[in-house]
Amino acid sequence: MAAAWASRPASAEAVVTHLLRLLWFVTVTTGPWTAVAAGDEETFKCEDLKVGQYICKDPQINDATQEPVNCTNYTAHVQCFPAPNITCKDFSGNETHFTGNEVGFLRPISCRNVNGYSYKVAVALSLFLGWLGADRFYLGYPALGLLKFCTVGFCGIGSLIDFILISMQIVGPSDGTSYIIDYYGTRLTRLSITNETFRKTQLYP
């Protein structure tokens, strides 16, 4: 009877030992396969990094146009640097392990097309010489400028309206370009809604 009781702990210990061996065997045999499977996965592009995993430089601004120097078709690009110890494919398609000093990708930013028309000059002309039509002449509207000149700014009413429209950047250059405004200055952005605008579902309590 005593021998039976003594064999039970031994058998339980043998079972635990067997389970540990089995677990070790599974870990060893599946470890390399798991590594191979992970190695077979395609490395993601640096453009797919999440916020906080990279930092982008500020664009280099052209003093004359107050727009990024590489602005083309309303788009410019800035250099972005992935954080240290991140591996991803750079803009050339090469898999790179970054240290924080290498360029990983170029992020597009919006820019504007300008053609020499200064916002400050337009507002100043509209404020002080608007009754002579100088603002409209400057922006490329000679007919309206001549009409304002002959009517003394439509008796002052037209000058006031033009000053408000130019100040709010509703009236711009006649060639469709944008005003030259300090890049980090006050700019108005017009928001519009189209059929492609994302509409968030309204939840009512």
Side-chain angles (χ1 to χ4, degrees):
M1 190 70 177
W5 282 103
S7 64
R8 287 184 179 179
S11 63
E13 184 178 352
V15 171
V16 172
T17 303
H18 179 71
L19 289 177
L20 291 175
R21 288 179 179 178
L22 180 61
L23 180 61
W24 176 83
F25 177 77
V26 171
T27 303
V28 171
T29 53
T30 58
W33 293 105
T34 304
V36 172
D40 290 341
E41 294 181 359
E42 184 178 358
T43 306
F44 59 89
K45 296 180 180 179
C46 296
E47 292 90 340
D48 299 330
L49 291 175
K50 298 180 180 179
V51 176
Q53 294 181 323
Y54 65 91
I55 185 172
C56 296
K57 280 188 173 182
D58 292 331
Q60 184 179 356
I61 306 304
N62 188 318
D63 293 334
T65 63
Q66 286 299 308
E67 295 295 327
V69 293
N70 56 354
C71 178
T72 304
N73 295 329
Y74 302 97
T75 304
H77 294 84
V78 293
Q79 296 178 342
C80 296
F81 301 82
N85 299 324
I86 287 183
T87 302
C88 59
K89 289 185 178 180
D90 58 15
F91 57 91
S92 300
N94 299 323
E95 182 176 339
T96 306
H97 182 76
F98 292 90
T99 61
N101 299 319
E102 303 88 356
V103 178
F105 64 98
L106 301 177
R107 189 184 70 177
I109 59 174
S110 60
C111 58
R112 307 184 310 166
N113 181 26
V114 297
N115 193 25
Y117 294 97
S118 172
Y119 173 70
K120 295 179 181 179
V121 173
V123 172
L125 289 176
S126 182
L127 177 62
F128 298 107
L129 298 176
W131 58 278
L132 294 176
D135 49 356
R136 289 289 182 169
F137 280 114
Y138 175 74
L139 294 176
Y141 303 96
L144 287 176
L146 182 60
L147 189 59
K148 287 179 67 175
F149 177 80
C150 295
T151 59
V152 192
F154 297 103
C155 298
I157 299 177
S159 299
L160 177 61
I161 295 175
D162 270 354
F163 176 72
I164 296 174
L165 294 178
I166 292 175
S167 299
M168 297 181 64
Q169 303 174 28
I170 296 177
V171 172
S174 60
D175 58 0
T177 58
S178 300
Y179 287 114
I180 296 177
I181 305 176
D182 293 341
Y183 187 79
Y184 296 104
T186 303
R187 295 187 177 192
L188 296 181
T189 302
R190 296 184 180 88
L191 302 179
S192 60
I193 298 178
T194 64
N195 292 331
E196 298 179 357
T197 303
F198 175 77
R199 299 175 185 270
K200 185 177 181 180
T201 304
Q202 298 294 324
L203 300 178
Y204 299 96

Short mmCIF file of all heavy atoms in Angstrom, two decimals, residues 166-195:
data_model
loop_
_atom_site.label_atom_id
_atom_site.label_comp_id
_atom_site.label_asym_id
_atom_site.label_seq_id
_atom_site.Cartn_x
_atom_site.Cartn_y
_atom_site.Cartn_z
N ILE A 166 -10.91 91.69 -51.98
CA ILE A 166 -9.48 91.43 -52.11
C ILE A 166 -8.89 91.03 -50.76
O ILE A 166 -8.05 90.12 -50.68
CB ILE A 166 -8.76 92.66 -52.69
CG1 ILE A 166 -9.19 92.89 -54.15
CG2 ILE A 166 -7.24 92.49 -52.63
CD1 ILE A 166 -8.63 94.16 -54.77
N SER A 167 -9.32 91.67 -49.70
CA SER A 167 -8.81 91.33 -48.38
C SER A 167 -9.16 89.90 -48.00
O SER A 167 -8.37 89.20 -47.36
CB SER A 167 -9.36 92.29 -47.33
OG SER A 167 -8.96 93.61 -47.60
N MET A 168 -10.34 89.44 -48.39
CA MET A 168 -10.76 88.07 -48.09
C MET A 168 -10.26 87.07 -49.13
O MET A 168 -10.61 85.90 -49.06
CB MET A 168 -12.29 88.01 -48.00
CG MET A 168 -12.87 88.84 -46.87
SD MET A 168 -14.68 88.71 -46.78
CE MET A 168 -14.85 86.96 -46.39
N GLN A 169 -9.47 87.54 -50.08
CA GLN A 169 -8.87 86.71 -51.13
C GLN A 169 -9.94 86.03 -52.00
O GLN A 169 -9.71 84.97 -52.56
CB GLN A 169 -7.94 85.66 -50.52
CG GLN A 169 -6.83 86.25 -49.68
CD GLN A 169 -6.00 85.19 -48.97
OE1 GLN A 169 -5.88 84.07 -49.43
NE2 GLN A 169 -5.43 85.56 -47.83
N ILE A 170 -11.09 86.67 -52.09
CA ILE A 170 -12.14 86.16 -52.99
C ILE A 170 -11.83 86.59 -54.42
O ILE A 170 -12.00 85.81 -55.36
CB ILE A 170 -13.51 86.68 -52.54
CG1 ILE A 170 -13.85 86.13 -51.15
CG2 ILE A 170 -14.59 86.29 -53.56
CD1 ILE A 170 -15.16 86.64 -50.59
N VAL A 171 -11.36 87.82 -54.58
CA VAL A 171 -10.91 88.30 -55.88
C VAL A 171 -9.40 88.15 -55.94
O VAL A 171 -8.68 88.65 -55.07
CB VAL A 171 -11.31 89.77 -56.11
CG1 VAL A 171 -10.66 90.31 -57.37
CG2 VAL A 171 -12.82 89.89 -56.19
N GLY A 172 -8.92 87.45 -56.95
CA GLY A 172 -7.49 87.24 -57.12
C GLY A 172 -7.02 87.69 -58.48
O GLY A 172 -7.76 88.34 -59.24
N PRO A 173 -5.80 87.37 -58.85
CA PRO A 173 -5.27 87.74 -60.17
C PRO A 173 -6.12 87.17 -61.29
O PRO A 173 -6.72 86.10 -61.17
CB PRO A 173 -3.87 87.14 -60.17
CG PRO A 173 -3.50 87.05 -58.73
CD PRO A 173 -4.77 86.74 -58.01
N SER A 174 -6.15 87.90 -62.41
CA SER A 174 -7.02 87.50 -63.52
C SER A 174 -6.53 86.23 -64.21
O SER A 174 -7.32 85.55 -64.89
CB SER A 174 -7.10 88.64 -64.55
OG SER A 174 -5.80 88.94 -65.07
N ASP A 175 -5.26 85.88 -64.07
CA ASP A 175 -4.75 84.69 -64.75
C ASP A 175 -5.01 83.40 -63.98
O ASP A 175 -4.57 82.33 -64.38
CB ASP A 175 -3.24 84.84 -65.03
CG ASP A 175 -2.44 85.06 -63.77
OD1 ASP A 175 -3.03 85.10 -62.67
OD2 ASP A 175 -1.20 85.21 -63.88
N GLY A 176 -5.71 83.50 -62.86
CA GLY A 176 -6.07 82.32 -62.10
C GLY A 176 -5.02 81.86 -61.10
O GLY A 176 -5.23 80.86 -60.41
N THR A 177 -3.90 82.56 -61.02
CA THR A 177 -2.87 82.18 -60.05
C THR A 177 -3.23 82.70 -58.67
O THR A 177 -4.23 83.40 -58.49
CB THR A 177 -1.50 82.74 -60.47
OG1 THR A 177 -1.59 84.17 -60.59
CG2 THR A 177 -1.08 82.17 -61.83
N SER A 178 -2.41 82.36 -57.70
CA SER A 178 -2.65 82.77 -56.32
C SER A 178 -1.79 83.96 -55.96
O SER A 178 -0.80 84.27 -56.63
CB SER A 178 -2.36 81.60 -55.37
OG SER A 178 -3.17 80.49 -55.66
N TYR A 179 -2.17 84.62 -54.89
CA TYR A 179 -1.36 85.72 -54.37
C TYR A 179 -0.06 85.18 -53.77
O TYR A 179 0.02 84.04 -53.31
CB TYR A 179 -2.11 86.46 -53.27
CG TYR A 179 -3.25 87.32 -53.74
CD1 TYR A 179 -4.56 87.01 -53.41
CD2 TYR A 179 -3.01 88.48 -54.47
CE1 TYR A 179 -5.62 87.81 -53.81
CE2 TYR A 179 -4.05 89.29 -54.89
CZ TYR A 179 -5.36 88.94 -54.56
OH TYR A 179 -6.39 89.75 -54.97
N ILE A 180 0.96 86.02 -53.78
CA ILE A 180 2.18 85.72 -53.04
C ILE A 180 1.96 86.16 -51.60
O ILE A 180 1.86 87.35 -51.31
CB ILE A 180 3.40 86.43 -53.65
CG1 ILE A 180 3.66 85.92 -55.07
CG2 ILE A 180 4.63 86.21 -52.79
CD1 ILE A 180 4.81 86.62 -55.77
N ILE A 181 1.86 85.19 -50.72
CA ILE A 181 1.65 85.43 -49.30
C ILE A 181 2.72 84.68 -48.53
O ILE A 181 3.14 83.60 -48.94
CB ILE A 181 0.25 84.97 -48.86
CG1 ILE A 181 -0.82 85.62 -49.74
CG2 ILE A 181 -0.01 85.29 -47.40
CD1 ILE A 181 -2.22 85.15 -49.43
N ASP A 182 3.17 85.25 -47.43
CA ASP A 182 4.18 84.59 -46.61
C ASP A 182 3.75 83.15 -46.35
O ASP A 182 2.60 82.89 -45.95
CB ASP A 182 4.38 85.32 -45.29
CG ASP A 182 5.01 86.70 -45.50
OD1 ASP A 182 5.59 86.92 -46.57
OD2 ASP A 182 4.89 87.55 -44.59
N TYR A 183 4.68 82.22 -46.54
CA TYR A 183 4.34 80.80 -46.43
C TYR A 183 3.79 80.47 -45.04
O TYR A 183 2.85 79.68 -44.91
CB TYR A 183 5.58 79.95 -46.72
CG TYR A 183 5.28 78.47 -46.79
CD1 TYR A 183 4.71 77.90 -47.92
CD2 TYR A 183 5.57 77.65 -45.71
CE1 TYR A 183 4.43 76.56 -47.99
CE2 TYR A 183 5.29 76.28 -45.76
CZ TYR A 183 4.73 75.74 -46.90
OH TYR A 183 4.45 74.40 -46.95
N TYR A 184 4.35 81.06 -44.04
CA TYR A 184 3.87 80.84 -42.67
C TYR A 184 3.01 81.99 -42.20
O TYR A 184 2.83 82.20 -41.00
CB TYR A 184 5.06 80.63 -41.72
CG TYR A 184 5.86 79.39 -42.02
CD1 TYR A 184 7.10 79.49 -42.65
CD2 TYR A 184 5.38 78.13 -41.72
CE1 TYR A 184 7.84 78.35 -42.94
CE2 TYR A 184 6.11 76.99 -42.01
CZ TYR A 184 7.34 77.11 -42.61
OH TYR A 184 8.06 75.99 -42.90
N GLY A 185 2.48 82.76 -43.15
CA GLY A 185 1.60 83.86 -42.81
C GLY A 185 0.14 83.45 -42.83
O GLY A 185 -0.22 82.27 -42.82
N THR A 186 -0.73 84.46 -42.87
CA THR A 186 -2.17 84.23 -42.84
C THR A 186 -2.66 83.89 -44.24
O THR A 186 -2.59 84.72 -45.15
CB THR A 186 -2.90 85.47 -42.31
OG1 THR A 186 -2.39 85.79 -41.03
CG2 THR A 186 -4.38 85.21 -42.21
N ARG A 187 -3.17 82.68 -44.39
CA ARG A 187 -3.72 82.26 -45.67
C ARG A 187 -5.13 81.71 -45.46
O ARG A 187 -5.40 81.07 -44.44
CB ARG A 187 -2.86 81.16 -46.30
CG ARG A 187 -1.46 81.60 -46.68
CD ARG A 187 -0.75 80.51 -47.44
NE ARG A 187 0.57 80.94 -47.89
CZ ARG A 187 1.30 80.28 -48.77
NH1 ARG A 187 0.85 79.16 -49.29
NH2 ARG A 187 2.49 80.73 -49.14
N LEU A 188 -5.98 81.99 -46.40
CA LEU A 188 -7.33 81.47 -46.35
C LEU A 188 -7.42 80.23 -47.22
O LEU A 188 -6.92 80.20 -48.35
CB LEU A 188 -8.34 82.51 -46.82
CG LEU A 188 -8.44 83.79 -45.97
CD1 LEU A 188 -9.50 84.72 -46.56
CD2 LEU A 188 -8.79 83.46 -44.53
N THR A 189 -8.05 79.21 -46.70
CA THR A 189 -8.25 77.97 -47.44
C THR A 189 -9.74 77.77 -47.64
O THR A 189 -10.51 77.72 -46.66
CB THR A 189 -7.65 76.76 -46.69
OG1 THR A 189 -6.25 77.00 -46.47
CG2 THR A 189 -7.84 75.48 -47.49
N ARG A 190 -10.14 77.65 -48.88
CA ARG A 190 -11.56 77.46 -49.17
C ARG A 190 -11.89 75.97 -49.08
O ARG A 190 -11.24 75.13 -49.70
CB ARG A 190 -11.91 77.99 -50.56
CG ARG A 190 -11.73 79.49 -50.70
CD ARG A 190 -12.18 79.98 -52.07
NE ARG A 190 -12.01 81.41 -52.22
CZ ARG A 190 -10.90 81.99 -52.66
NH1 ARG A 190 -9.88 81.24 -53.00
NH2 ARG A 190 -10.82 83.29 -52.77
N LEU A 191 -12.92 75.67 -48.34
CA LEU A 191 -13.38 74.30 -48.18
C LEU A 191 -14.64 74.10 -49.00
O LEU A 191 -15.53 74.95 -49.02
CB LEU A 191 -13.66 73.98 -46.71
CG LEU A 191 -12.48 74.17 -45.74
CD1 LEU A 191 -12.92 73.84 -44.32
CD2 LEU A 191 -11.31 73.28 -46.15
N SER A 192 -14.71 73.00 -49.70
CA SER A 192 -15.88 72.70 -50.51
C SER A 192 -16.28 71.24 -50.33
O SER A 192 -15.45 70.40 -49.97
CB SER A 192 -15.61 72.99 -52.00
OG SER A 192 -14.52 72.19 -52.45
N ILE A 193 -17.52 70.95 -50.56
CA ILE A 193 -18.06 69.60 -50.41
C ILE A 193 -18.48 69.09 -51.79
O ILE A 193 -19.20 69.79 -52.52
CB ILE A 193 -19.25 69.57 -49.45
CG1 ILE A 193 -18.81 70.01 -48.05
CG2 ILE A 193 -19.88 68.18 -49.38
CD1 ILE A 193 -19.94 70.07 -47.05
N THR A 194 -18.00 67.93 -52.15
CA THR A 194 -18.37 67.30 -53.41
C THR A 194 -18.95 65.91 -53.13
O THR A 194 -19.09 65.50 -51.97
CB THR A 194 -17.15 67.16 -54.34
OG1 THR A 194 -16.19 66.28 -53.72
CG2 THR A 194 -16.48 68.52 -54.56
N ASN A 195 -19.28 65.21 -54.19
CA ASN A 195 -19.81 63.85 -54.02
C ASN A 195 -18.77 62.89 -53.48
O ASN A 195 -19.12 61.81 -52.98
CB ASN A 195 -20.35 63.33 -55.36
CG ASN A 195 -21.57 64.09 -55.82
OD1 ASN A 195 -22.34 64.61 -55.00
ND2 ASN A 195 -21.77 64.17 -57.14
#
